[in-house]
Amino acid sequence: MPVKNAGPFLIECLRSIQGQDDSNWELIAIDDHSNDESYQILDDFKSFDHRIRVFKNNHKGIIPALRLAYRNSTGTYITRMDADDIMTTEKISSLREALVRHGTGHVATGWVAYFSDTELGEGFRQYAQWLNRLTSEGNHYREVYKECVIPSPCWMVHRSDLDLCGAFAADVYPEDYDLCFRFYQYGLVPLGVDKVLHRWRDHHSRASRNDPHYADQRFFPLKLHYFLKLEMNPGHTLVLWGAGKKGKHLAKLLIDLNIDFRWVCNNPAKIGKHIYGVLLEDSRQVSSMDALKIIIAVTGPRDKNELNTSLSSLGLELGRDYYYFC
């Protein structure tokens, strides 16, 4: 568990760990140069609980902190915690039971819920609902290019599987999404637990709100890297669908990488024009294309429902032939 200036929330977090119905755990907490009372809180807790071990990060940032924690861990089953969040009582036991039941080659996860001392935005609720639906349906990777489909503090894997995936060796942010892609790359099968196991605390100083490593513009290059690596081969026709702000962003990235693609949209005002030197085609042209891999950069729910119906009628499948990037 990386810890940086988590003082206002840390005691509640630590007590939620100590309150687990499975007491056979170790916590490796890494203080990442906090300038509040975080280190003192950790030091006090470890004095009364031998299962808690505390180190100071010799470097800076979440990834070096995770590496240091992992090097000092001894457990067979590995999970991560965020210092401002709360574990439900059954989190560790539920995730571990799923892994024990199914063996290696799996990543266990469960439902998540946001909470806040102030009004919680609808976007947070929708993200949690989407994640929980994927968990219940067991088809996380079908939408892996849309958002991080394995919530970063609500997973558990066997140590050997985490090593297979490269653990925390990569210097890539957002580190949770990169690890999720590596779970996908190495074929770890998600195991869903249909109950809330982790409670995400939203607050104004949360890293995902303020750290530039988690800014939206960093996500598309990461998604595109793994898409080109894991989904494409020389026989595929790459199609970019959508010419709005996000579609243009993706087009620029593809052009910078010298990747050939066809660009389609539904906007009559743009069809037939060139943007960045690429012709915008009518999306109906997709029906005459072969060996498709389609990146979809549209955001409206109604548009997505219509797209799913249209592409399914062509025999195309989400997560195999077309992929949502937003």
Side-chain angles (χ1 to χ4, degrees):
M1 180 174 74
V3 180
K4 185 176 181 66
N5 296 333
F9 319 112
L10 188 52
I11 291 175
E12 189 175 10
C13 171
L14 292 167
R15 286 177 176 165
S16 78
I17 299 172
Q18 289 180 316
Q20 293 297 294
D21 60 7
D22 183 341
S23 62
N24 185 23
W25 50 262
E26 65 175 1
L27 170 65
I28 316 297
I30 309 298
D31 179 64
D32 186 22
H33 307 277
S34 296
N35 53 27
D36 68 356
E37 68 272 32
S38 292
Y39 182 78
Q40 186 60 54
I41 292 171
L42 292 171
D43 197 52
D44 289 346
F45 268 77
K46 80 168 186 179
S47 298
F48 295 98
D49 194 331
H50 70 278
R51 298 169 299 179
I52 299 174
R53 300 164 64 201
V54 180
F55 300 85
K56 288 193 173 185
N57 194 1
N58 293 326
H59 300 282
K60 191 174 183 180
I62 289 176
I63 293 176
L66 289 168
R67 288 176 186 152
L68 179 59
Y70 190 46
R71 283 200 304 270
N72 284 279
S73 67
T74 61
T76 300
Y77 301 99
I78 309 297
T79 187
R80 170 181 168 176
M81 186 57 179
D82 283 349
D84 45 5
D85 292 344
I86 297 174
M87 290 185 173
T88 61
T89 305
E90 301 171 284
K91 179 180 178 181
I92 289 177
S93 62
S94 296
L95 294 176
R96 180 154 61 186
E97 284 169 11
L99 289 176
V100 170
R101 214 167 40 244
H102 293 273
T104 57
H106 295 85
V107 51
T109 187
W111 289 352
V112 294
Y114 273 104
F115 72 103
S116 176
D117 293 335
T118 59
E119 184 177 356
L120 188 64
E122 184 59 27
F124 293 109
R125 291 193 184 91
Q126 290 177 356
Y127 181 49
Q129 289 169 2
W130 174 72
L131 282 172
N132 295 342
R133 173 178 61 80
L134 295 180
T135 296
S136 296
E137 295 174 354
N139 57 7
H140 296 72
Y141 297 143
R142 192 176 70 172
E143 299 188 54
V144 69
Y145 296 100
K146 183 178 178 182
E147 294 276 1
C148 183
V149 294
I150 305 292
S152 64
C154 193
W155 54 260
M156 184 181 286
V157 294
H158 196 282
R159 189 181 199 93
S160 62
D161 286 326
L162 189 56
D163 288 337
L164 173 69
C165 295
F168 306 108
D171 284 310
V172 178
Y173 287 98
E175 83 294 335
D176 53 345
Y177 204 177
D178 180 67
L179 182 59
C180 173
F181 275 121
R182 285 184 277 125
F183 288 160
Y184 172 46
Q185 177 181 355
Y186 287 94
L188 297 195
V189 178
L191 301 171
V193 178
D194 287 347
K195 54 187 171 184
V196 173
L197 299 181
H198 188 91
R199 299 187 67 216
W200 270 328
R201 185 193 304 271
D202 181 49
H203 56 90
H204 71 278
S205 57
R206 190 176 182 92
S208 58
R209 280 178 174 264
N210 299 283
D211 193 322
H213 286 134
Y214 303 98
D216 284 347
Q217 64 266 25
R218 299 185 69 98
F219 284 44
F220 275 163
L222 181 67
K223 295 178 185 183
L224 202 53
H225 166 78
Y226 280 103
F227 178 82
L228 295 172
K229 181 178 182 178
L230 302 178
E231 314 299 344
M232 293 293 297
N233 68 44
H236 286 138
T237 299
L238 177 59
V239 176
L240 173 60
W241 190 312
K245 182 178 179 180
K246 293 185 177 181
K248 290 176 181 176
H249 187 176
L250 282 164
K252 284 183 177 180
L253 291 173
L254 289 167
I255 291 167
D256 289 343
L257 292 169
N258 293 315
I259 303 295
D260 291 330
F261 67 99
R262 295 178 70 172
W263 198 353
V264 305
C265 71
N266 298 333
N267 187 338
K270 294 180 180 178
I271 293 170
K273 295 185 177 181
H274 287 77
I275 300 179
Y276 312 137
V278 180
L279 175 67
L280 266 294
E281 302 178 62
D282 192 318
S283 59
R284 288 174 291 186
Q285 293 295 319
V286 165
S287 62
S288 63
M289 301 178 189
D290 297 319
L292 293 178
K293 292 289 183 178
I294 306 173
I295 293 174
I296 297 179
V298 300
T299 56
R302 180 178 177 181
D303 292 333
K304 289 179 179 178
N305 288 335
E306 292 177 356
L307 274 169
N308 287 335
T309 300
S310 175
L311 294 173
S312 294
S313 71
L314 298 176
L316 302 178
E317 183 179 319
L318 176 62
R320 185 194 69 186
D321 308 300
Y322 68 96
Y323 310 80
Y324 286 104
F325 266 53
C326 51

